[in-house]
């Protein structure tokens, strides 16, 4: 359930079935051939979430085909069932590529599978989307992990890596450090025929950049977790370069800092997040005397009660104060959002 009190809008109170994810994972035909299939009946327009096959004969390299999360943004790659706060941040909402259909190669290197990678090509049209032009989405991610308590390689994960270095931000037996970086590109994006996930097409439309825009993103993240506390940070950058004269390249940025401390090990956790999205408002991007978004930021504290001492059964509550700022001195828009969630995973 949630309560959303936003300036210039009616207060919205709602109970909802946020997610009802049903998944099947396993091995077929051989012990190196993996599959995953997941649906979510609450998403009427995109019930099919994951459907992919991975042939990981050796840890160092393995092909994957199907639909799954693009190997790009850390917060999006983190499973929704393992979120430290009830909902993902405004940075994720703006820069995510979420799921897409494509092909990739992935693997892990090092004696303890410390280094992992994935690189692939995708339709660039979001969940269950079919490309209608030859402009594809290219994406890749690399990650290095140190410490931890398990170096077993999980080839069937959304982002395949050693289990100690997965993207869950807490619950570490031993000190664990993980750092990652990613990049993506979709040249010649035409939002009239192709709409990647995230807010890129909304941004292109607001800037009147037309139907031929080179879309490029970068991402970097770091995470440190122990039995008692955890902290992580993430940076996202996005270039939008319109292929028409007279307009400059827009560079939008996002930053997220998040931390948690266990008041009782594996049971009660106090968590918090600060996130900022900064839009390019340069004179060659936003015309003079034009009102456009400038900065949007949020502060979100939360409290978690892990009934099963992990993310399977938990109760979470959070409060978000969010402010959207505009150019030309236009009034800010403030939102106060209260969220509460009960999760069961089995």
């Amino acid at each position: 359930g949630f309560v959303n009190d936003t300036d210039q809008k009616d207060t919205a109170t709602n109970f909802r079935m946020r997610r009802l994810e049903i998944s099947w994972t396993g091995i077929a035909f051989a012990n190196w051939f993996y599959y995953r299939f997941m649906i979510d009946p609450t998403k009427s327009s995109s019930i099919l979430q994951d459907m992919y096959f991975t042939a990981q004969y050796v840890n160092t390299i393995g092909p994957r085909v199907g639909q799954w999360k693009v190997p790009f943004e850390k917060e999006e790659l983190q499973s929704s069932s393992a979120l430290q706060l009830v909902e993902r941040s405004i940075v994720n909402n703006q820069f995510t590529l979420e799921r897409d259909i494509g092909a990739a190669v992935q693997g892990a290197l090092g004696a303890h599978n410390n280094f992992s990678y994935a690189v692939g090509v995708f339709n660039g049209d979001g969940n269950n989307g079919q490309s209608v032009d030859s402009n594809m989405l290219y994406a890749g991610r690399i990650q290095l992990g140190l410490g931890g308590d398990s170096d077993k390689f999980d080839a069937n994960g959304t982002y395949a890596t050693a289990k100690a270095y997965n993207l869950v931000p807490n619950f570490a037996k031993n000190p664990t450090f993980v750092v990652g970086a990613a990049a993506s590109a979709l040249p010649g994006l035409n939002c009239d025929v192709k709409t990647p996930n995230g807010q890129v097409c909304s941004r292109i439309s607001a800037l009147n950049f037309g139907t031929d825009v080179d879309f490029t993103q970068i991402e970097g993240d770091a995470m440190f977790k122990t039995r008692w506390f955890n902290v992580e940070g993430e940076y996202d950058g996005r270039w939008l370069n319109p292929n028409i004269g007279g307009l400059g390249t827009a560079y939008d940025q996002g930053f997220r800092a998040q931390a948690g401390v266990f008041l009782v090990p594996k049971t009660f956790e106090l968590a918090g997040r600060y996130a900022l999205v900064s839009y390019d408002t340069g004179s060659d991007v936003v015309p003079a005397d034009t009102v456009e978004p400038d900065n949007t930021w949020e502060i979100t504290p939360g409290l978690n009660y892990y009934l099963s001492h992990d993310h399977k059964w938990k109760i979470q509550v959070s409060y978000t104060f969010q402010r959207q700022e505009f150019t030309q001195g236009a009034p800010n828009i403030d939102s106060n959002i209260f969220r509460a969630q009960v999760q069961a995973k089995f």
Side-chain angles (χ1 to χ4, degrees), residues 283-306:
S283 59
D284 59 340
V285 173
V286 177
D289 302 322
T290 301
V291 175
E292 288 289 346
D294 189 1
N295 296 300
T296 301
W297 55 270
E298 67 158 287
I299 297 176
T300 302
L303 184 65
N304 305 321
Y305 175 31
Y306 299 101

Side-chain angles (χ1 to χ4, degrees), residues 310-325:
D310 56 22
H311 284 282
K312 291 183 178 179
W313 294 82
K314 63 184 178 181
I315 299 173
Q316 296 177 284
V317 294
S318 70
Y319 161 72
T320 296
F321 175 79
Q322 180 178 312
R323 170 166 289 178
Q324 189 170 14
E325 301 168 345

Side-chain angles (χ1 to χ4, degrees), residues 9-177:
K9 294 183 179 180
D10 292 337
T11 299
T13 303
N14 194 14
F15 291 100
R16 61 188 299 202
M17 190 74 72
R18 179 66 178 87
R19 300 176 181 92
L20 183 59
E21 296 174 343
I22 305 170
S23 66
W24 294 263
T25 62
I27 298 172
F29 309 120
N31 61 5
W32 47 265
F33 190 83
Y34 301 85
Y35 69 88
R36 177 176 171 84
F37 174 71
M38 185 175 79
I39 60 173
D40 187 344
T42 66
K43 294 181 170 62
S44 58
S45 62
S46 56
I47 291 177
L48 178 63
Q49 296 290 287
D50 289 332
M51 184 175 179
Y52 60 80
F53 302 96
T54 307
Q56 200 80 39
Y57 187 74
V58 293
N59 288 355
T60 52
I61 185 169
R64 173 180 288 184
V65 296
Q67 174 171 285
W68 74 103
K69 290 183 178 180
V70 176
F72 180 68
E73 203 212 27
K74 191 264 183 191
E75 191 180 14
E76 180 60 48
L77 290 171
Q78 180 181 324
S79 171
S80 59
S81 65
L83 293 178
Q84 191 174 26
L85 293 159
V86 178
E87 194 54 87
R88 293 183 176 93
S89 72
I90 57 174
V91 173
N92 180 84
N93 183 61
Q94 184 65 220
F95 295 95
T96 182
L97 295 172
E98 204 182 325
R99 290 175 168 87
D100 215 316
I101 300 174
V105 291
Q106 63 178 35
L109 305 172
H112 301 284
N113 297 310
N114 301 82
F115 181 84
S116 55
Y117 72 92
V119 59
V121 57
F122 301 85
N123 283 340
D125 205 18
N127 295 39
N128 308 310
Q130 302 297 319
S131 182
V132 296
D133 59 23
S134 60
N135 299 327
M136 309 295 283
L137 170 66
Y138 305 91
R141 175 178 172 85
I142 56 175
Q143 183 173 295
L144 174 67
L146 301 172
D149 51 272
S150 172
D151 57 7
K152 183 179 180 182
F153 184 64
D154 181 11
N156 208 24
T158 298
Y159 177 73
T161 185
K163 290 195 172 183
Y165 311 128
N166 62 18
L167 300 169
V168 178
N170 47 16
F171 290 109
K173 294 181 180 179
N174 298 306
T176 307
F177 175 72

